[in-house]
Amino acid sequence: MAFRPHPARAPSVLLREAKPLKAIFGHAKRLGHLQRLLESQLQPAAREHCHVASWREGSLLLIVTDGHWATRLRYQQKRLLRQLQVFDEFASLTRILFKVQPPTVLAKVAGHTLDLSVDAAQTIQATADGITDPALRAALERLASHAKPKPN
């Protein structure tokens, strides 16, 4: 007897019908909503460094990218607590906890670029010569201009 896999279903159907996925999707939507409310009360510079991790039993756990931002936010903790309690979602908020967790994705090293050979630049320039769209042609010509000359 051969195994017959279930027919594929659209992701939207899975999110609506599969109970585990539905619960995860609902939790993600809820955290996204809480994140937007939090960001509305944070300084613009702090928004990218602070994310909602969990909200349960009156405690809001925020993940902060580094100790500097955690310290700054701890100084503003009482004000932030009062401002968030205004929202119905945070009506029972009693404390805010901060956890420092550096981003797992390494930031791109500034100034590091890949070298473009002269042959590759010539090929790109030849392609640009055959393009009629002015914006695309200009972009290809800029790319071709980054070629590194061959060492002698």
Side-chain angles (χ1 to χ4, degrees):
M1 186 152 109
F3 171 73
R4 290 186 171 212
H6 295 290
R9 295 190 293 176
S12 60
V13 172
L14 287 174
L15 289 174
R16 276 194 316 269
E17 296 174 1
K19 289 189 185 212
L21 289 178
K22 188 176 181 180
I24 291 170
F25 185 65
H27 186 68
K29 283 176 57 175
R30 181 172 173 253
L31 285 178
H33 177 66
L34 296 176
Q35 179 69 33
R36 285 188 297 280
L37 292 176
L38 172 69
E39 287 176 354
S40 73
Q41 302 305 313
L42 289 175
Q43 301 168 352
R47 291 177 186 158
E48 68 182 270
H49 300 283
C50 185
H51 304 282
V52 175
S54 69
W55 160 237
R56 66 174 67 101
E57 299 171 6
S59 287
L60 178 64
L61 176 61
L62 301 178
I63 300 294
V64 186
T65 58
D66 58 44
H68 164 76
W69 283 103
T71 301
R72 286 183 67 170
L73 289 167
R74 281 187 186 107
Y75 280 120
Q76 301 172 24
Q77 185 171 2
K78 287 182 182 178
R79 177 193 58 82
L80 187 59
L81 183 72
R82 283 191 311 271
Q83 288 176 324
L84 289 175
Q85 286 172 336
V86 170
F87 296 111
D88 292 337
E89 292 84 347
F90 291 115
S92 62
L93 181 63
T94 57
R95 66 182 181 159
I96 300 175
L97 303 170
F98 298 96
K99 181 177 179 184
V100 176
Q101 183 176 354
T104 55
V105 178
L106 297 175
K108 184 179 176 184
V109 177
H112 179 71
T113 59
L114 296 176
D115 294 334
L116 183 64
S117 70
V118 174
D119 293 335
Q122 288 172 349
T123 303
I124 293 171
Q125 184 60 51
T127 303
D129 293 339
I131 301 293
T132 57
D133 180 38
L136 179 56
R137 181 183 183 124
L140 288 172
E141 288 172 344
R142 279 193 311 274
L143 181 61
S145 70
H146 289 112
K148 301 288 181 195
K150 289 183 182 178
N152 291 334

